[in-house]
């Protein structure tokens, strides 16, 4: 059985670096991107050096319905993932008194709601594999200590830390 791993937000940046390391380690990587197909394709080409079975998935992690549909289709066609790296995230920095509603909402939907949106349709198929799957959640130091001008970002990343800890308790043997 191939150990397939989904890495959200893996077209560039930290997600790309994670995907490349997983590929080098022998995992079959499924790259996720939201809008930047060109960068995702570049990452795919780099990963093909390690595994020709690299796949691309495009969906918006903040949109529950489209995320669920895309992931359920992927699992139906290719089987459950062995692992998931929840990496996708955004910032909309600004001082709290001037923060716009949309800046708060889009950061929470992308950074925090995506935890549920991505993992909800994938957790039971991973459990049914009975193959020791892994879930990795990328957060930030800002989620532990806060950061000036990042109240929304810090709150979303702190929420991820709590969600990951609670889910680990539920899924641990």
């Amino acid at each position: 059985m191939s150990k397939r791993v989904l890495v959200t937000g893996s077209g560039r940046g930290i997600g790309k670096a994670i995907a490349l390391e997983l590929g080098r380690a022998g995992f079959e990587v499924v790259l996720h991107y939201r809008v930047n197909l060109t960068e995702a394709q570049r990452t795919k080409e780099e990963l093909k050096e390690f595994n020709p079975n690299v796949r691309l998935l495009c969906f918006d992690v903040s949109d529950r319905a489209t995320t669920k549909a895309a992931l359920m289709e992927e699992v139906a066609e290719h089987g459950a993932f062995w692992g998931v790296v929840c990496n996708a995230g955004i910032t909309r920095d600004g001082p709290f008194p001037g923060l716009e509603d949309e800046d708060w909402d889009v950061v929470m939907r992308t950074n925090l709601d995506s935890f549920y949106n991505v993992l909800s349709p994938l957790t039971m198929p991973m459990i049914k594999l009975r193959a020791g799957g892994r879930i990795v959640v990328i957060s930030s130091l800002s989620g532990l200590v806060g950061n000036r001008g990042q109240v929304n970002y810090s709150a979303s990343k702190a929420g991820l830390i709590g969600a990951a800890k609670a889910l680990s308790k539920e899924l641990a043997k």
Side-chain angles (χ1 to χ4, degrees), residues 34 49 65 78-79 102 114:
R34 182 176 62 93
E49 177 183 335
H78 302 281
E102 180 60 16
S114 65

Side-chain angles (χ1 to χ4, degrees), residues 82-98:
W82 181 86
V84 180
V85 178
C86 295
N87 168 71
I90 63 166
T91 60
R92 292 291 189 274
D93 295 348
F96 187 75

Side-chain angles (χ1 to χ4, degrees), residues 60-109:
D60 181 349
V61 295
S62 71
D63 184 317
R64 184 168 297 145
T66 60
T67 298
K68 183 176 182 178
L71 293 174
M72 288 179 69
E73 181 179 334
E74 175 70 16
V75 169
E77 289 180 22
H78 302 281
F81 287 99
W82 181 86
V84 180
V85 178
C86 295
N87 168 71
I90 63 166
T91 60
R92 292 291 189 274
D93 295 348
F96 187 75
L99 199 62
E100 298 290 332
D101 292 349
E102 180 60 16
D103 292 335
W104 179 271
D105 293 342
V106 73
V107 168
M108 289 300 161
R109 283 192 311 266

Side-chain angles (χ1 to χ4, degrees), residues 8 17 20 24 26 28 39 77 87-88 107 112 137 142 150 170-171:
T8 66
L20 290 172
R24 283 185 194 103
E28 183 180 329
E39 287 295 320
E77 289 180 22
N87 168 71
V107 168
L112 185 55
V137 179
S142 293
Q150 289 192 319
E170 287 188 21
L171 298 181

Side-chain angles (χ1 to χ4, degrees), residues 36-145:
N36 199 332
L37 176 59
T38 302
E39 287 295 320
Q41 287 174 326
R42 283 187 192 136
T43 303
K44 179 179 178 178
E45 290 306 312
E46 289 182 53
L47 268 169
K48 280 186 174 183
E49 177 183 335
F50 312 112
N51 189 319
N53 298 322
V54 180
R55 299 182 32 72
L56 294 176
L57 277 181
C58 179
F59 57 89
D60 181 349
V61 295
S62 71
D63 184 317
R64 184 168 297 145
T66 60
T67 298
K68 183 176 182 178
L71 293 174
M72 288 179 69
E73 181 179 334
E74 175 70 16
V75 169
E77 289 180 22
H78 302 281
F81 287 99
W82 181 86
V84 180
V85 178
C86 295
N87 168 71
I90 63 166
T91 60
R92 292 291 189 274
D93 295 348
F96 187 75
L99 199 62
E100 298 290 332
D101 292 349
E102 180 60 16
D103 292 335
W104 179 271
D105 293 342
V106 73
V107 168
M108 289 300 161
R109 283 192 311 266
T110 302
N111 297 356
L112 185 55
D113 290 357
S114 65
F115 176 91
Y116 178 83
N117 297 347
V118 170
L119 293 177
S120 177
L122 297 182
T123 301
M124 282 312 297
M126 287 175 69
I127 289 170
K128 289 177 184 176
L129 278 179
R130 298 188 182 279
R134 303 291 185 266
I135 297 171
V136 176
V137 179
I138 305 300
S139 186
S140 170
L141 184 60
S142 293
L144 293 173
V145 298

